[in-house]
Amino acid sequence: MPEKKSVPIQVSVSALSKLLDCPYYGKGTTLISGVSNLKEAEKGDLVFLAHRKFQSQLEHTKASAAIIPIDETYDRIPVIKSKNPQLSFLQAVEYFFQPHKPALGIHSLAYVSPTAKVGKDVSIGAFVFIGDEVEIGNRAVIFPFVAIYPHSKVGRDCIIHSHVSIREETFIGNRVIIHNGAVIGSDGFGYIQDTRKAHVKIPQIGNVVIQDNVEIGANTTIDRASLGKTIIRKGTKIDNLVQVAHNVEIGSNVILAAQTGIAGSSIIGKKVMVGGQVGIADHVEIGDNVILAAKSGVSKDIPANSMVGGSPHLDMREWQKACLSIPQLYDMLKEIKKLKKKIEALEKAQR
Amino acid sequence: MPEKKSVPIQVSVSALSKLLDCPYYGKGTTLISGVSNLKEAEKGDLVFLAHRKFQSQLEHTKASAAIIPIDETYDRIPVIKSKNPQLSFLQAVEYFFQPHKPALGIHSLAYVSPTAKVGKDVSIGAFVFIGDEVEIGNRAVIFPFVAIYPHSKVGRDCIIHSHVSIREETFIGNRVIIHNGAVIGSDGFGYIQDTRKAHVKIPQIGNVVIQDNVEIGANTTIDRASLGKTIIRKGTKIDNLVQVAHNVEIGSNVILAAQTGIAGSSIIGKKVMVGGQVGIADHVEIGDNVILAAKSGVSKDIPANSMVGGSPHLDMREWQKACLSIPQLYDMLKEIKKLKKKIEALEKAQR
Amino acid sequence: MPEKKSVPIQVSVSALSKLLDCPYYGKGTTLISGVSNLKEAEKGDLVFLAHRKFQSQLEHTKASAAIIPIDETYDRIPVIKSKNPQLSFLQAVEYFFQPHKPALGIHSLAYVSPTAKVGKDVSIGAFVFIGDEVEIGNRAVIFPFVAIYPHSKVGRDCIIHSHVSIREETFIGNRVIIHNGAVIGSDGFGYIQDTRKAHVKIPQIGNVVIQDNVEIGANTTIDRASLGKTIIRKGTKIDNLVQVAHNVEIGSNVILAAQTGIAGSSIIGKKVMVGGQVGIADHVEIGDNVILAAKSGVSKDIPANSMVGGSPHLDMREWQKACLSIPQLYDMLKEIKKLKKKIEALEKAQR
């Protein structure tokens, strides 16, 4: 039962210390063969201590070594001291962890159009469909059951997981990761009503452009533009089950948490952070560095550097005050009635 | 980098004017080879002016011709005048834009059961699975990685995009479009508790019926009925990531925006418009022509022709008044305390 | 047009009575060949009467026999009396209804790695991909276009529907049902910011463990742990389009309704009932038997046996009181202003 990676690599604490460019304390010959968290670590694992408050867990971990903050000390097991233990740990993870990919080359059960251009050193799995005139960059990794419709381009070092649909004319940059079942370039949701109030489809003839270093979550959907482009700019990270409608433009280094939806033609600035299950109406503009709390509902523009919450959204402090007040609403109602009676009594007495 | 359609068709403004049955003004020999929007148009493109307010954009467009409202005038580039510029533009789009589809016929890498009945002039792509006793209508277009389980029927002129699952016994009418990754006919979510409070599955043995001219968005899920049918009536349009539970009935010409969910056995009337991320509880009935604002939460019946918002939902005007009041809640609390003190002072003075 | 199951099985009411261990009244030789609901039943169908209030529907049903509560009487058609008519009906359904599955064996168009271990009596459809070192238990049913990445395990008697992605190192117990398009083991959504505020991916090297008797809905996504495990415990049922983030732990016999999202590292107790479109923040702990109303937003721990609603969540009674008060908010505002004026008048008069 393969619940644990089989990692054949072994390295000593002293060698790892050199690799990470961080000093070690304790027995340098201790062998490390994997990484884990404090609670679940086993013999041979490396762990890290992010905060002093987790030190008690260090006491009980079965790990063989730990990366700890530079100003901490510990001597039950060998430690490596780092200014940024999490970052050093990530470097160690990349040393030990080889993410799975299909074998190098094109699997005999894949279909690649004779007019497609495929780069060097790609890993294209079984049951992949690559349409006419598609371009695939060097070292791209494409898992089974990916459909790439004609005239699309996938850049260098991309990873496209199983069941992803990349519709016609989509342009995907370099080092983009797309998780299982995501749909890039489905038709936007656009209709006009005919004279009998039936909905007539507006052909969606634009496309989707995804820039470098974007990551897109599982079963997320990004619609093609009706005309022009839907754009996701470089470094933006999108979680699972997110909806991005036609003609939306998302700035660079944005975070969109799961199940958020952005309606047509809205524009999201740089470095915006959007919580889970947020809804953003169509034709809205959100400035750079805005933070939207989970479940916010946004139907108006938001200036740069704001924090908002609630639906319809309010400035964060207003929203927090409203949240504190809502549980008191019922008592307020009763209190108002009481005050009203007292005033009536006072008025009567005065007459 | 194929960011733009390659459209070999070229037509003169005067020919297009005849085609659209609308008069033209300016140089009729100007050649048009594509369509675009005002901002992104290039030489050879046709654009349209929906509203007078966009006239300044017309001034700077690189388009070679424009469709404008019948009561407007413009002479920098040739124009075609129409009573409904958007509708005339859509007609032009259909002339220029050939949506991509797999080659005519059945791809050699598709699997079609020997007991399936496939109509004439279909386009069935590679890696399509068509199960036993399935019927596929004439001119249906089926993209790679579509699974059609046994005993289902897909009507004439349907377009089924990659990764769609059509479960057993599903009935799909004519001219239905289903986008990538949608699931039609998955089991409804029904359990009863046994004596130990474990959940026992209720077999979901009904099916899904989708009538003519319906469009279903990417990664949307429509569950089969536990008994009987889940029904989507003709002309209804469903956006991405929508959930329709077992035994739901949706009337004709309804609009369901993205990420909306409808729980079991609810009934939606005709021409209802549902915003994004709306939740509708089970066994609820919503009358014809109702409008539900985005993020509404509905747990009670709604009479025909209503507009509602909020969660739990309120009549739209009530909801808008509540939205205006919520930011004042905290000040109301403070005001009430102040008034209380003043009344106490008044009462004291009166004694 | 196959809108109805073709059920060749026929059984008499008297034989069915023996099978269900419940007495029958009326003509025992009546033949039953299917099951339906009261409204849509046809000749040959068996129906059941859950509540006395539906008795009028029994009057007009075309069914040939009905299961009714033990204390009811009816004589127009033969009846079977049961202490629990629904449970007896489910037993009858299982007798009549054979859920569709691919033919026994491994389809010639499936790809099964030579290093995979496949159990006995499996049904593996066309276009299935089973990676290296995967283990598949006896009698497992796997539909077309399922991708099982290397080093995963699927237990005995599982049913995996089309387009499911099971990522590397996933562990799935026995009798698990996974509906179409669900993704198990996609990367968790974890980044740290580098010095230039760009998001650096934290490798997600944990896995997902799904215990026995779990059911997972269509297009639902369950992310692998960053380190350690994301766990769904036995008997839990998850609806469509649900998001379960990395390192979440869900207790046994939990119900998660459609479009709910649970953020990273949160812990859900046993027998918790979660309504649709609920959002649960990261690192939250929810006790056993908690009930969360639809659309709740939870950002704090909830003690066992609570009922909550609203966003941010409140105790259910508080939430219901707040819901009653919200439509009165606007009038409260006006009333407070009125009272304020009266008090000023009183104060003036007193001076």
Side-chain angles (χ1 to χ4, degrees):
Chain A
M1 206 191 75
E3 283 192 63
K4 203 111 192 143
K5 314 274 168 321
S6 53
V7 185
I9 300 160
Q10 278 206 329
V11 65
S12 68
V13 166
S14 62
L16 198 59
S17 150
K18 257 185 220 163
L19 211 79
L20 301 177
D21 197 19
C22 294
Y24 78 91
Y25 301 83
K27 198 179 161 196
T29 55
T30 304
L31 287 176
I32 299 302
S33 54
V35 293
S36 189
N37 58 19
L38 287 159
K39 244 166 90 182
E40 298 180 271
E42 291 174 19
K43 192 163 180 284
D45 282 345
L46 174 75
V47 295
F48 78 102
L49 186 73
H51 301 288
R52 184 174 288 226
K53 62 177 177 181
F54 298 127
Q55 180 132 14
S56 67
Q57 285 178 39
L58 197 54
E59 201 56 51
H60 299 100
T61 188
K62 291 178 187 157
S64 291
I67 304 177
I68 65 174
I70 201 123
D71 51 354
E72 292 287 315
T73 50
Y74 195 73
D75 60 11
R76 193 178 60 84
I77 54 173
V79 294
I80 290 170
K81 292 192 181 183
S82 164
K83 280 183 202 163
N84 188 336
Q86 191 180 19
L87 209 63
S88 297
F89 183 74
L90 287 188
Q91 286 164 4
V93 166
E94 278 175 21
Y95 180 78
F96 285 107
F97 177 66
Q98 297 291 338
H100 164 67
K101 59 180 191 183
L104 213 66
I106 299 175
H107 196 287
S108 61
L109 294 176
Y111 172 84
V112 179
S113 159
T115 61
K117 283 185 199 168
V118 177
K120 291 176 194 164
D121 300 327
V122 298
S123 299
I124 295 181
F127 305 123
V128 165
F129 177 88
I130 296 180
D132 295 346
E133 312 279 348
V134 166
E135 291 180 40
I136 306 286
N138 296 336
R139 296 174 303 282
V141 173
I142 302 182
F143 282 86
F145 309 119
V146 167
I148 306 182
Y149 283 45
H151 301 276
S152 289
K153 183 177 166 176
V154 172
R156 279 178 279 114
D157 300 293
C158 286
I159 301 172
I160 315 289
H161 277 284
S162 73
H163 303 104
V164 167
S165 296
I166 296 174
R167 290 276 299 267
E168 64 276 18
E169 315 272 343
T170 299
F171 176 78
I172 294 173
N174 302 318
R175 295 174 303 282
V176 170
I177 301 173
I178 307 182
H179 286 281
N180 313 69
V183 176
I184 316 297
S186 36
D187 281 8
F189 195 63
Y191 304 91
I192 55 169
Q193 289 196 333
D194 68 12
T195 46
R196 292 189 220 155
K197 296 230 164 185
H199 306 292
V200 178
K201 183 176 176 68
I202 301 173
Q204 303 290 306
I205 65 175
N207 72 342
V208 176
V209 173
I210 293 174
Q211 295 187 352
D212 296 348
N213 299 315
V214 167
E215 184 162 356
I216 294 172
N219 286 346
T220 279
T221 58
I222 299 178
D223 281 351
R224 66 195 312 107
S226 50
L227 284 170
K229 303 179 182 73
T230 302
I231 304 179
I232 316 289
R233 293 193 205 285
K234 63 180 194 309
T236 283
K237 310 297 181 183
I238 301 180
D239 202 349
N240 298 344
L241 293 168
V242 168
Q243 153 72 354
V244 177
H246 50 181
N247 296 81
V248 165
E249 293 185 26
I250 299 182
S252 57
N253 296 311
V254 166
I255 292 282
L256 294 182
Q259 297 177 316
T260 279
I262 304 176
S265 300
S266 284
I267 297 175
I268 314 295
K270 291 177 199 167
K271 297 182 187 169
V272 170
M273 311 269 288
V274 182
Q277 299 184 336
V278 168
I280 298 174
D282 57 296
H283 293 89
V284 159
E285 206 168 328
I286 294 179
D288 295 347
N289 306 308
V290 166
I291 296 176
L292 300 176
K295 276 192 175 287
S296 305
V298 174
S299 57
K300 289 181 186 161
D301 291 356
I302 300 179
N305 307 309
S306 318
M307 286 180 65
V308 311
S311 176
H313 81 268
L314 297 172
D315 174 83
M316 184 62 84
R317 264 167 306 178
E318 278 205 61
W319 168 237
Q320 285 168 338
K321 283 200 275 181
C323 290
L324 287 171
S325 314
I326 283 170
Q328 302 180 56
L329 250 177
Y330 191 76
D331 290 338
M332 281 165 73
L333 254 176
K334 287 197 295 186
E335 186 66 27
I336 289 173
K337 278 181 196 160
K338 230 188 274 175
L339 295 185
K340 200 179 166 185
K341 273 189 195 159
K342 285 190 180 187
I343 290 171
E344 281 163 4
L346 284 166
E347 288 175 329
K348 210 174 172 181
Q350 205 176 53
R351 258 177 256 138
Chain B
M1 206 191 73
E3 284 192 61
K4 198 106 194 149
K5 312 274 167 324
S6 55
V7 185
I9 301 160
Q10 277 207 330
V11 67
S12 68
V13 166
S14 63
L16 198 59
S17 149
K18 256 185 219 161
L19 210 78
L20 302 177
D21 196 19
C22 294
Y24 77 92
Y25 301 83
K27 197 179 162 198
T29 55
T30 304
L31 287 176
I32 299 302
S33 54
V35 293
S36 189
N37 57 20
L38 287 160
K39 243 166 91 181
E40 297 180 270
E42 290 173 19
K43 192 162 180 285
D45 282 345
L46 174 76
V47 295
F48 78 104
L49 187 73
H51 301 289
R52 183 174 288 226
K53 62 177 175 180
F54 298 127
Q55 180 131 15
S56 68
Q57 286 178 39
L58 197 55
E59 201 56 50
H60 299 99
T61 187
K62 290 179 188 157
S64 291
I67 304 177
I68 65 174
I70 200 124
D71 51 354
E72 292 288 313
T73 51
Y74 195 73
D75 59 12
R76 192 178 61 84
I77 53 173
V79 294
I80 290 171
K81 292 193 181 183
S82 165
K83 280 183 201 162
N84 188 337
Q86 190 179 22
L87 209 64
S88 296
F89 183 74
L90 287 188
Q91 286 164 4
V93 166
E94 278 174 23
Y95 181 77
F96 285 108
F97 177 66
Q98 296 292 336
H100 163 67
K101 59 181 189 181
L104 212 66
I106 300 176
H107 196 287
S108 62
L109 294 176
Y111 172 85
V112 179
S113 159
T115 61
K117 283 186 199 168
V118 176
K120 290 176 195 166
D121 299 328
V122 298
S123 299
I124 296 181
F127 306 124
V128 165
F129 177 87
I130 295 180
D132 296 345
E133 312 278 350
V134 167
E135 292 180 39
I136 305 285
N138 296 337
R139 297 174 302 281
V141 173
I142 303 182
F143 282 86
F145 308 121
V146 167
I148 306 182
Y149 283 43
H151 300 277
S152 289
K153 183 176 166 177
V154 173
R156 278 177 279 113
D157 299 293
C158 286
I159 300 173
I160 315 290
H161 277 285
S162 73
H163 303 104
V164 167
S165 295
I166 296 174
R167 291 274 300 266
E168 65 276 19
E169 315 272 344
T170 299
F171 175 78
I172 294 174
N174 301 320
R175 295 174 303 282
V176 170
I177 302 173
I178 307 182
H179 286 280
N180 312 70
V183 176
I184 317 296
S186 36
D187 282 7
F189 195 62
Y191 304 90
I192 54 170
Q193 290 197 333
D194 69 10
T195 45
R196 291 189 221 155
K197 295 230 164 185
H199 306 293
V200 178
K201 183 176 176 68
I202 301 173
Q204 303 289 307
I205 66 175
N207 71 343
V208 176
V209 173
I210 293 175
Q211 295 187 352
D212 296 348
N213 299 315
V214 167
E215 184 162 357
I216 295 172
N219 285 346
T220 279
T221 57
I222 299 177
D223 280 350
R224 65 197 311 108
S226 49
L227 284 170
K229 303 180 183 74
T230 303
I231 304 179
I232 317 289
R233 292 194 205 285
K234 63 180 193 309
T236 282
K237 311 296 183 184
I238 302 180
D239 202 350
N240 298 345
L241 293 169
V242 169
Q243 153 73 354
V244 178
H246 50 182
N247 296 83
V248 165
E249 295 184 25
I250 299 182
S252 56
N253 296 311
V254 166
I255 292 282
L256 293 183
Q259 296 178 318
T260 279
I262 304 175
S265 300
S266 284
I267 298 174
I268 314 295
K270 290 178 202 169
K271 298 182 185 169
V272 170
M273 311 269 289
V274 183
Q277 298 184 338
V278 168
I280 298 174
D282 57 295
H283 292 89
V284 159
E285 206 168 326
I286 294 180
D288 295 346
N289 306 308
V290 166
I291 296 176
L292 300 176
K295 275 193 176 288
S296 304
V298 174
S299 58
K300 288 180 186 162
D301 292 356
I302 300 180
N305 308 309
S306 318
M307 285 182 65
V308 310
S311 176
H313 80 268
L314 297 173
D315 174 84
M316 186 62 86
R317 265 168 306 179
E318 277 205 61
W319 168 237
Q320 284 168 337
K321 283 200 275 179
C323 290
L324 288 172
S325 313
I326 283 171
Q328 302 180 59
L329 249 178
Y330 190 76
D331 291 338
M332 281 165 73
L333 255 178
K334 287 198 294 187
E335 187 67 26
I336 289 172
K337 278 180 197 163
K338 233 190 271 175
L339 295 185
K340 200 180 165 185
K341 271 188 197 161
K342 286 192 179 183
I343 289 170
E344 280 162 3
L346 284 164
E347 288 175 329
K348 211 173 170 183
Q350 203 176 55
R351 259 177 255 139
Chain C
M1 208 190 73
E3 283 192 64
K4 199 103 196 155
K5 313 275 166 323
S6 54
V7 185
I9 300 160
Q10 278 208 330
V11 65
S12 68
V13 166
S14 62
L16 199 58
S17 150
K18 257 186 220 162
L19 210 78
L20 302 177
D21 195 19
C22 294
Y24 77 91
Y25 300 82
K27 198 178 162 199
T29 54
T30 304
L31 287 178
I32 299 302
S33 54
V35 293
S36 189
N37 58 20
L38 286 160
K39 243 166 92 181
E40 297 181 271
E42 290 173 18
K43 192 164 180 283
D45 282 344
L46 174 75
V47 295
F48 80 102
L49 186 73
H51 300 288
R52 183 174 286 227
K53 62 177 176 181
F54 298 128
Q55 180 132 16
S56 67
Q57 286 177 39
L58 197 55
E59 201 56 50
H60 299 100
T61 188
K62 291 179 188 156
S64 292
I67 304 178
I68 65 173
I70 200 123
D71 51 354
E72 292 288 314
T73 50
Y74 195 73
D75 60 11
R76 191 178 61 83
I77 53 173
V79 294
I80 292 171
K81 292 192 182 183
S82 164
K83 281 183 200 164
N84 189 335
Q86 190 179 21
L87 208 64
S88 296
F89 183 74
L90 288 189
Q91 286 164 3
V93 166
E94 278 174 23
Y95 180 77
F96 285 107
F97 177 64
Q98 296 291 337
H100 163 68
K101 58 181 190 182
L104 212 66
I106 299 176
H107 196 287
S108 62
L109 294 176
Y111 172 84
V112 178
S113 160
T115 62
K117 283 185 199 165
V118 176
K120 290 177 196 164
D121 300 327
V122 297
S123 300
I124 296 181
F127 305 124
V128 165
F129 177 86
I130 296 180
D132 296 346
E133 311 280 349
V134 167
E135 293 181 38
I136 305 286
N138 296 336
R139 296 173 303 280
V141 173
I142 302 183
F143 282 85
F145 308 120
V146 167
I148 306 182
Y149 283 45
H151 300 277
S152 289
K153 184 176 166 177
V154 172
R156 279 178 277 115
D157 300 292
C158 286
I159 300 172
I160 316 288
H161 277 285
S162 73
H163 303 104
V164 167
S165 295
I166 297 174
R167 290 275 299 267
E168 64 276 19
E169 313 272 343
T170 300
F171 176 77
I172 294 174
N174 301 319
R175 296 174 301 281
V176 170
I177 301 172
I178 307 183
H179 286 280
N180 312 69
V183 176
I184 316 297
S186 37
D187 281 8
F189 195 62
Y191 305 91
I192 55 170
Q193 290 196 332
D194 67 12
T195 46
R196 292 190 220 155
K197 294 231 166 183
H199 306 292
V200 178
K201 183 176 175 68
I202 301 174
Q204 304 289 307
I205 66 175
N207 71 343
V208 176
V209 173
I210 292 173
Q211 295 187 352
D212 296 348
N213 299 315
V214 167
E215 184 162 356
I216 295 172
N219 285 346
T220 279
T221 57
I222 300 177
D223 280 351
R224 65 196 311 106
S226 50
L227 285 169
K229 304 179 181 73
T230 302
I231 304 178
I232 317 288
R233 292 194 206 285
K234 62 181 196 306
T236 283
K237 311 297 182 184
I238 301 180
D239 202 350
N240 298 344
L241 293 168
V242 169
Q243 152 73 354
V244 177
H246 51 182
N247 296 82
V248 165
E249 295 184 25
I250 299 182
S252 56
N253 296 311
V254 166
I255 292 282
L256 293 183
Q259 297 177 317
T260 279
I262 305 176
S265 300
S266 285
I267 298 174
I268 314 295
K270 291 177 201 168
K271 298 181 185 170
V272 170
M273 311 269 289
V274 183
Q277 299 184 337
V278 168
I280 299 175
D282 58 296
H283 292 89
V284 159
E285 206 169 325
I286 294 180
D288 295 346
N289 305 309
V290 166
I291 296 175
L292 300 176
K295 276 193 176 286
S296 305
V298 174
S299 58
K300 289 180 186 160
D301 292 355
I302 300 179
N305 307 308
S306 317
M307 286 181 64
V308 311
S311 176
H313 81 267
L314 297 173
D315 174 85
M316 185 62 85
R317 265 167 305 178
E318 278 205 60
W319 168 236
Q320 284 168 337
K321 284 200 275 180
C323 290
L324 288 172
S325 314
I326 283 170
Q328 302 180 58
L329 250 177
Y330 190 76
D331 290 338
M332 281 165 73
L333 255 177
K334 286 197 295 188
E335 186 67 25
I336 289 172
K337 280 181 196 161
K338 229 189 275 175
L339 295 185
K340 200 179 165 183
K341 273 190 195 158
K342 287 193 179 183
I343 289 170
E344 280 163 2
L346 284 166
E347 287 175 329
K348 211 175 170 182
Q350 203 176 55
R351 259 179 254 137

